[in-house]
Amino acid sequence: MDHYEVWAAPVGGQDLDGPDEVRGTAYTDPRAPQDVPVTYTVEAVDTSGRRSGVSEAVNATRPAPSTGPKPSGLMARHDGSGVLISWDGHSGDMGQNYRVYAQSPDPYASSLLATSYPPDGEVRVPRAGGLFYVVSVDDESRESAPAYVGAY
């Protein structure tokens, strides 16, 4: 495949601005409205422009963001086993759960790498590089603003 085209539309509504072209196998919708169900379909396109046909539709709702603090003290460094990502946790209700994402090479595609439960976090990611980010997750699964760090 040369690329994929991802179509998004509010559930029961019209398409939103045509397809987004994706050159990977994951897509994060940066324009998805919060607390509004959106229907997504995907179509593969080869180098000759031939299309695979549209996938089955899937519905997703982007939750409202958490108002809790984002992780601080985020660092990433290479070691013999990959990339070690660490951060300072928070006390109280937030920060008992963290998610670590990779955002590479497509800026619209983020991949969940790990979930961490301790207040102070550390995750080792084998065979990885690029841009990473960590978010705090509250008890309603809402994510804080991301804390970004790059690793080489």
Side-chain angles (χ1 to χ4, degrees):
M1 285 304 116
D2 180 59
H3 68 276
Y4 296 90
E5 292 183 357
V6 178
W7 297 82
V11 171
Q14 293 284 345
D15 175 50
L16 299 174
D17 300 328
D20 284 324
E21 187 174 299
V22 177
R23 298 209 175 260
T25 57
Y27 174 74
T28 301
D29 187 355
R31 297 175 307 211
Q34 294 172 340
D35 289 334
V36 176
V38 176
T39 299
Y40 294 93
T41 56
V42 178
E43 188 172 26
V45 181
D46 68 13
T47 55
S48 299
R50 292 181 298 222
R51 298 176 174 276
S52 67
V54 178
S55 70
E56 289 188 34
V58 62
N59 292 337
T61 303
R62 178 180 173 194
S66 168
T67 58
K70 68 181 182 180
S72 61
L74 187 63
M75 295 187 320
R77 65 177 174 81
H78 280 284
D79 65 9
S81 302
V83 175
L84 180 65
I85 301 169
S86 61
W87 60 92
D88 299 329
H90 302 283
S91 60
D93 294 336
M94 284 295 296
Q96 301 309 307
N97 183 349
Y98 296 92
R99 293 180 185 152
V100 180
Y101 292 91
Q103 187 176 1
S104 179
D106 184 341
Y108 293 116
S110 298
S111 300
L112 177 64
L113 299 177
T115 300
S116 176
Y117 295 96
D120 292 309
E122 182 175 278
V123 171
R124 180 167 281 107
V125 183
R127 301 178 310 276
L131 182 64
F132 299 97
Y133 65 93
V134 178
V135 295
S136 298
V137 182
D138 69 13
D139 58 357
E140 295 179 28
S141 290
R142 296 177 303 179
E143 297 182 349
S144 69
Y148 288 93
V149 66
Y152 307 96

